[in-house]
Amino acid sequence: MAGEKNSLNRILDGIELPDFVPVHQDFEAPHLTDIAGRIGEQLAAGEFAETVQPGQRIGITVGSRGIANMPQIVRVLADWVKSRAATPVVIPAMGSHGGATAAGQREMLTGMGFTPETTGCEIVSGMAVTELGVVDGLRVWYSSDALACDGVILANRVKAHTDIIGDIESGLFKMAAIGLGKHQGALQAHSQGLARTGEMIEAIAPVMFHKANIIFGCAVLENALDETRDVVLIPTGRIEQIEPQLLAASRAHLPRLLITEIDVLIVDWMGKNISGAGMDPNVIGRSVVGVKNPQMHINQIVVLDITPQSHGNATGIGLADVTTRRLVDQIDFTAMFTNGITSNGMRGGRLAPFMPNQKMAIQCAARLTLKPDHRALRMVRITNTLDLAEIEVSSALLPEVADNPAMRLLGTPAQWHFDANGDLFAPTETGH
């Protein structure tokens, strides 16, 4: 390895990186200031007030994404269930994530801040499922833990999906078909490939709405700053009508890069808590099944690290062109390949070439652009694909920033400082 590293040094050492400037991207970002009040006013309405009766056991779903304020939202729902003299429990609803094991999914919840203390209720993590029926040749599986409850509150964020394109993408339908379907349901929903997963979800979820014990949905909506924009409660019988409307409205609030022609995009952190694809294809353009955002044109993507909350599942690393040994050393290949096989998205688990440190990874990506003047490259650095309000851009992009009223400089051009290991930041820092 020493000789190999020396040969890499000989190739990359002479590549000079440009100066960088911190920049703020201004997004219209309406946000909800009183989450508990917003949920409470809806729960007081007649269509929800009688959905829970004294003595009942009510499940509340939680998925694998790092959704802003989700522990608080679950706590508000749990406290309301208790106020009805009933008992709330949290049910992990995340398909194949967490290695498709009960212990792995419980660990994921704990890593995202969902504990009996924060939610105010027990976490019931199991992978057993019960068949509810067959639709279009698809077996409909439903969590046995959820079915053992007297009712289930289906809670999830409604947002554009990483790979699915349609009127239903990521939201309550998906939380039902894949989340409450557990690993068996995820396998069924992806059994005809990612390109048809949306159709499978749209067929499976309504069976659950009509035959299972889902009492209402709780749709969380976000703004472009990853903040809670609204929380909408939906009677089960109206989810099919309302979720497409919420998804359509949410597209205007997606985080995005205002610079769309980029030579090298540097992503500090990828992770399952950030996006199902590690990096949101709606931001980077690339997707496991093709192009998600055709406006983005990025020559090279380099990813520097993976979040601890991912527990080694580096699904989405296949969308990168270059990464680091530090990231690769953290990969739990069993968890990543389980996720990839289940979703038929193994491209996302292909290993990108990895360099010994972050500086060399960035230098490698710069060289792979095939552009002769590396100091003049159009380069952008982001923390992750959720946190896009503050980014860094290379000096070549300063004229574009100056011409865009939605972008403003936060400093002056300067060289990055790498530590003795050739890294920009330490492993102990967090990405989200």
Side-chain angles (χ1 to χ4, degrees):
M1 180 64 190
E4 181 183 355
K5 185 173 181 180
N6 288 336
S7 67
L8 288 173
N9 284 331
R10 286 195 295 271
I11 297 171
L12 302 176
D13 273 354
I15 294 177
E16 293 187 63
L17 299 176
D19 294 343
F20 284 82
V21 187
V23 169
H24 190 275
Q25 297 193 123
D26 293 325
F27 298 119
E28 183 180 351
H31 66 280
L32 188 60
T33 57
D34 183 6
I35 292 173
R38 173 65 173 142
I39 297 173
E41 69 182 11
Q42 295 175 82
L43 287 171
E47 56 191 351
F48 302 111
E50 301 304 319
T51 54
V52 174
Q53 300 298 320
Q56 290 185 329
R57 181 179 172 91
I58 304 297
I60 303 171
T61 64
V62 175
S64 58
R65 304 293 180 263
I67 302 172
N69 299 310
M70 199 63 188
Q72 179 189 354
I73 291 167
V74 171
R75 182 61 183 251
V76 171
L77 293 170
D79 286 348
W80 175 76
V81 169
K82 291 179 181 178
S83 76
R84 307 290 297 173
T87 301
V89 297
V90 165
I91 297 178
M94 53 183 72
S96 64
H97 299 163
T101 68
Q105 296 194 349
R106 180 186 293 274
E107 186 179 357
M108 286 197 72
L109 289 190
T110 300
M112 294 187 293
F114 296 94
T115 66
E117 292 74 29
T118 60
T119 63
C121 50
E122 177 189 1
I123 296 173
V124 179
S125 184
M127 301 303 294
V129 289
T130 301
E131 185 176 342
L132 295 183
V134 178
V135 58
D136 297 340
L138 301 168
R139 301 174 74 180
V140 180
W141 299 105
Y142 191 76
S143 163
S144 297
D145 290 327
L147 198 60
C149 293
D150 296 292
V152 171
I153 299 172
L154 189 65
N156 196 24
R157 176 178 59 195
V158 173
K159 185 179 180 180
H161 190 263
T162 56
D163 303 302
I164 299 168
I165 300 175
D167 295 333
I168 293 292
E169 296 191 12
S170 184
L172 302 180
F173 267 70
K174 181 172 177 284
M175 179 60 86
I178 293 179
L180 285 176
K182 298 290 183 172
H183 192 209
Q184 286 289 94
L187 286 166
Q188 186 75 109
H190 292 95
S191 61
Q192 297 181 33
L194 268 173
R196 295 201 62 201
T197 296
E199 298 174 45
M200 305 299 100
I201 290 172
E202 289 190 54
I204 293 168
V207 176
M208 295 181 172
F209 299 154
H210 294 291
K211 288 190 174 183
N213 55 350
I214 297 169
I215 55 177
F216 61 85
C218 175
V220 181
L221 306 172
E222 293 182 336
N223 62 25
L225 300 180
D226 188 32
E227 299 167 334
T228 307
R229 177 169 57 88
D230 200 4
V231 180
V232 180
L233 304 188
I234 311 171
T236 305
R238 298 185 63 202
I239 292 175
E240 294 174 65
Q241 172 191 353
I242 293 178
E243 182 171 341
Q245 299 171 9
L246 296 179
L247 175 63
S250 76
R251 297 187 194 281
H253 299 276
L254 284 173
R256 65 193 186 280
L257 286 168
L258 301 180
I259 296 168
T260 58
E261 299 287 338
I262 299 172
D263 293 321
V264 179
L265 175 67
I266 300 152
V267 182
D268 285 359
W269 299 90
M270 66 170 290
K272 292 298 288 186
N273 59 315
I274 291 165
S275 169
M279 301 175 287
D280 189 349
N282 295 289
V283 174
I284 66 174
R286 304 178 185 181
S287 166
V288 171
V289 293
V291 176
K292 182 71 174 181
N293 180 354
Q295 294 181 335
M296 293 303 302
H297 300 97
I298 302 173
N299 188 318
Q300 297 289 306
I301 296 177
V302 53
V303 183
L304 304 183
D305 212 334
I306 183 170
T307 61
Q309 296 93 331
S310 300
H311 299 282
N313 185 347
T315 294
I317 192 61
L319 300 179
D321 298 290
V322 188
T323 188
T324 64
R325 174 172 287 279
R326 181 203 290 181
L327 187 153
V328 172
D329 286 345
Q330 297 176 71
I331 295 177
D332 180 336
F333 287 96
T334 298
M336 182 169 71
F337 294 155
T338 297
N339 194 177
I341 293 170
T342 300
S343 66
N344 286 304
M346 283 299 284
R347 178 186 169 196
R350 293 177 182 173
L351 199 57
F354 52 95
M355 296 292 108
N357 57 46
Q358 295 175 355
K359 182 178 183 179
M360 294 176 73
I362 296 167
Q363 289 172 316
C364 178
R367 189 180 192 281
L368 294 176
T369 64
L370 302 180
K371 298 193 175 181
D373 186 359
H374 301 124
R375 297 272 296 174
L377 288 175
R378 296 168 60 88
M379 299 177 69
V380 175
R381 178 187 176 191
I382 63 176
T383 301
N384 57 58
T385 56
L386 274 180
D387 302 317
L388 297 177
E390 292 190 10
I391 64 175
E392 291 185 63
V393 306
S394 61
S395 295
L397 288 166
L398 290 179
E400 189 165 333
V401 172
D403 288 341
N404 191 330
M407 304 183 75
R408 51 189 169 88
L409 298 178
L410 298 177
T412 56
Q415 278 281 296
W416 281 338
H417 296 288
F418 295 89
D419 65 19
N421 295 318
D423 293 327
L424 283 169
F425 55 87
T428 53
E429 297 179 37
T430 183
H432 185 61

